[in-house]
Amino acid sequence: MKFKFIYFLSLPVVILILLVRIPFVGYRQLSAPECQLKKWHLPGLLTKNARQKTPALIARSPVTCCLEDGSCVDEAIYQGENGKIGDKKALLTSIDRSLRYLQTARADAAYKKYQIPGITRYRVYKSLLRFRQLLLTTKSATELHQAIAKEFVYYQSIGRDSKGSVLFTAYYEPLYTASRVPTAEYRYPVYKAPPDLASWSLPHPTRLELEGADGLQGSKGKLRGLELFWFRDRLEPYMVQIQGSAKLQLTDGTKTSIGYAGNIAYNYKSIGRELANDGKLPLEGMTMPIILDYFQKYPQELNVYIPRDPSFVFFQETKGAPAQGSIGQPITAERSIATDKSLMPPGALALIRADFPFPDDTGKLEHRVVSRYVLDQDAGGAIKGAGRVDYFLGTGKLAGDRAGVTVGNGQLFYLLLKPQK
């Protein structure tokens, strides 16, 4: 699970939550005007009543597919990228995890507080069961899309503009080398949660007060004795805090993993914004690779910009277990998303359509507008409002490379069975 705020919220990390205001990424030309952006917008204009708040999700008819519009259906289920086999198994795994969650007391409590009429835990559960059946019996993406159009209602997010425009970013699980003991090379720790964290007085100490400007002063204060693993690079434990989990290759030859275990009561502050505010990097076009390149050139600047983020995350060793989302279930690469859980239904089936990077046969990343069926299984401290989605891309370098350049506008739909007459 990603960096969380106040109990269960995770910071879907996003690599690009290091950014602030992200530029629009336009869509490629599709086959006909009706296949372009307009049909994906919410139909009609939403009128805002001063006394009545517009709901985050609006029921609408399914989006009709157009000839040669490859962004309309989820082809990856049946035929994978670059000739690979489809990932129907991954989607089924993600569905089953949401079904497990929806049978828990935790889910029952969450849906008792959910505000949008008609979206209940029972309806979400039954919708997932039916979608699972259709997934097992259909033979193509088009056949699945047509079956859903007959049986399901689309609930579209109003987005950032009340027309359905949602900003998509991505996060991943990094893979780093680390040590169980401090050495001259491995000096920068991540920490276990203090056993008395709940009793810490407010305001909590900031990141700067906890670990110092250089990230090496934790043993002199409240973090003494809580060191969990040590890293070589100052940026690595900070990135783990942003992503909320990591796989570790240890210096003793073994492997393990760490996951979220708590945080202090401060909101994340973007170091990308700070760099832009100081004129070190232009805001327009800023991506994670650009930020990382800056710190490679000026490593001493890490001690300037990391301390400006007052937030701080604690970890626990998870011994190779998969990263978990905010609903307490493992998340699945390319089949799990993070949203604002004060607005969106936890564990529910969704359809996303946005511009994402994919490696070609040579490994070069190319962007394509695609649709994907996903499960809403995570949350993020930087993922707020109806116009934000963070997409989980998996573990390791390629996932990180893709997450680092994922940013663009798209649409978010939740799929629920039509009410019984």
Side-chain angles (χ1 to χ4, degrees):
M1 179 188 272
K2 298 183 302 179
F3 177 4
K4 304 179 182 179
F5 292 101
I6 315 299
Y7 188 54
F8 71 90
L9 288 182
S10 67
L11 175 73
V13 169
V14 163
I15 273 206
L16 285 163
I17 53 175
L18 291 177
L19 313 184
V20 283
R21 190 173 61 81
I22 309 180
F24 173 79
V25 174
Y27 293 94
R28 290 174 185 73
Q29 290 288 325
L30 297 175
S31 55
E34 65 269 21
C35 295
Q36 296 176 27
L37 187 60
K38 186 176 179 180
K39 73 168 184 175
W40 296 92
H41 277 165
L42 277 164
L45 295 175
L46 297 177
T47 58
K48 292 187 177 180
N49 187 315
R51 296 184 179 181
Q52 186 173 4
K53 187 177 180 181
T54 302
L57 300 175
I58 304 293
R60 59 164 290 174
S61 59
V63 177
T64 55
C65 285
C66 299
L67 184 65
E68 298 178 2
D69 182 359
S71 75
C72 194
V73 295
D74 188 349
E75 292 284 4
I77 298 173
Y78 302 88
Q79 180 177 349
E81 303 297 332
N82 299 330
K84 297 180 181 178
I85 61 172
D87 64 351
K88 183 181 289 191
K89 182 178 180 181
L91 181 53
L92 287 168
T93 297
S94 194
I95 291 169
D96 290 343
R97 288 167 174 170
S98 274
L99 287 171
R100 285 200 296 269
Y101 160 73
L102 290 165
Q103 297 176 76
T104 65
R106 182 176 184 174
D108 184 53
Y111 275 94
K112 282 179 178 176
K113 296 184 292 184
Y114 194 67
Q115 298 296 312
I116 297 180
I119 300 183
T120 65
R121 179 172 69 103
Y122 178 75
R123 189 178 177 196
V124 170
Y125 182 79
K126 295 294 289 185
S127 299
L128 266 182
L129 285 178
R130 179 55 182 156
F131 178 81
R132 193 181 193 281
Q133 283 182 318
L134 293 173
L135 187 60
L136 290 171
T137 55
T138 53
K139 299 295 190 294
S140 71
T142 299
E143 185 182 350
L144 177 61
H145 180 88
Q146 291 171 344
I148 289 170
K150 291 178 182 178
E151 298 188 38
F152 286 72
V153 177
Y154 281 42
Y155 283 79
Q156 184 170 1
S157 170
I158 63 171
R160 298 183 295 162
D161 56 1
S162 295
K163 294 181 180 180
S165 181
V166 173
L167 177 64
F168 283 81
T169 50
Y171 66 110
Y172 78 111
E173 186 178 42
L175 173 61
Y176 290 133
T177 301
S179 173
R180 287 191 181 274
V181 296
T183 68
E185 184 179 8
Y186 292 85
R187 301 187 298 154
Y188 299 100
V190 293
Y191 296 89
K192 296 180 288 187
D196 61 345
L197 179 61
S199 65
W200 281 17
S201 60
L202 296 174
H204 285 164
T206 64
R207 172 186 299 278
L208 177 61
E209 293 167 330
L210 286 172
E211 67 174 7
D214 61 1
L216 297 173
Q217 309 306 312
S219 62
K220 298 179 181 179
K222 285 181 170 290
L223 301 181
R224 181 180 178 85
L226 297 174
E227 297 88 351
L228 187 59
F229 292 100
W230 281 262
F231 297 78
R232 286 178 291 193
D233 189 311
R234 173 80 200 277
L235 190 58
E236 290 177 351
Y238 183 65
M239 290 299 297
V240 176
Q241 290 195 34
I242 292 175
Q243 302 299 335
S245 66
K247 291 285 192 292
L248 303 180
Q249 174 66 60
L250 300 180
T251 54
D252 63 8
T254 62
K255 297 179 181 179
T256 190
S257 59
I258 53 177
Y260 171 86
N263 64 274
I264 58 175
Y266 288 101
N267 288 334
Y268 169 82
K269 188 173 185 178
S270 163
I271 63 173
R273 166 175 290 197
E274 291 298 300
L275 287 166
N277 288 344
D278 290 350
K280 301 295 180 69
L281 290 174
L283 183 59
E284 185 175 357
M286 189 187 295
T287 63
M288 176 56 75
I290 291 173
I291 294 172
L292 295 179
D293 181 66
Y294 177 84
F295 286 123
Q296 282 188 336
K297 292 177 180 176
Y298 308 103
Q300 69 279 6
E301 295 276 79
L302 289 170
N303 295 347
V304 175
Y305 287 98
I306 289 179
R308 293 190 188 181
D309 175 13
S311 66
F312 199 85
V313 178
F314 303 105
F315 294 91
Q316 58 189 334
E317 185 173 2
T318 54
K319 299 181 179 180
Q324 285 207 338
S326 64
I327 66 171
Q329 293 292 325
I331 52 179
T332 305
E334 307 206 43
R335 294 299 171 182
S336 296
I337 60 171
T339 63
D340 186 340
K341 289 299 177 293
S342 69
L343 300 173
M344 303 304 171
L349 172 69
L351 176 69
I352 60 173
R353 177 183 179 271
D355 188 299
F356 295 111
F358 297 90
D360 63 16
D361 292 335
T362 67
K364 181 181 178 181
L365 294 179
E366 58 180 17
H367 284 258
R368 292 201 306 277
V369 179
V370 298
S371 289
R372 292 289 183 266
Y373 293 107
V374 294
L375 285 299
D376 193 339
Q377 297 171 326
D378 209 351
I383 309 303
K384 298 297 186 183
R388 286 291 282 112
V389 169
D390 213 7
Y391 185 39
F392 180 61
L393 290 178
T395 302
K397 185 180 185 305
L398 177 58
D401 291 343
R402 294 179 66 202
V405 294
T406 296
V407 52
N409 292 298
Q411 295 80 37
L412 167 67
F413 308 87
Y414 289 87
L415 306 182
L416 296 171
L417 284 169
K418 293 178 180 178
Q420 294 182 345
K421 295 181 181 180

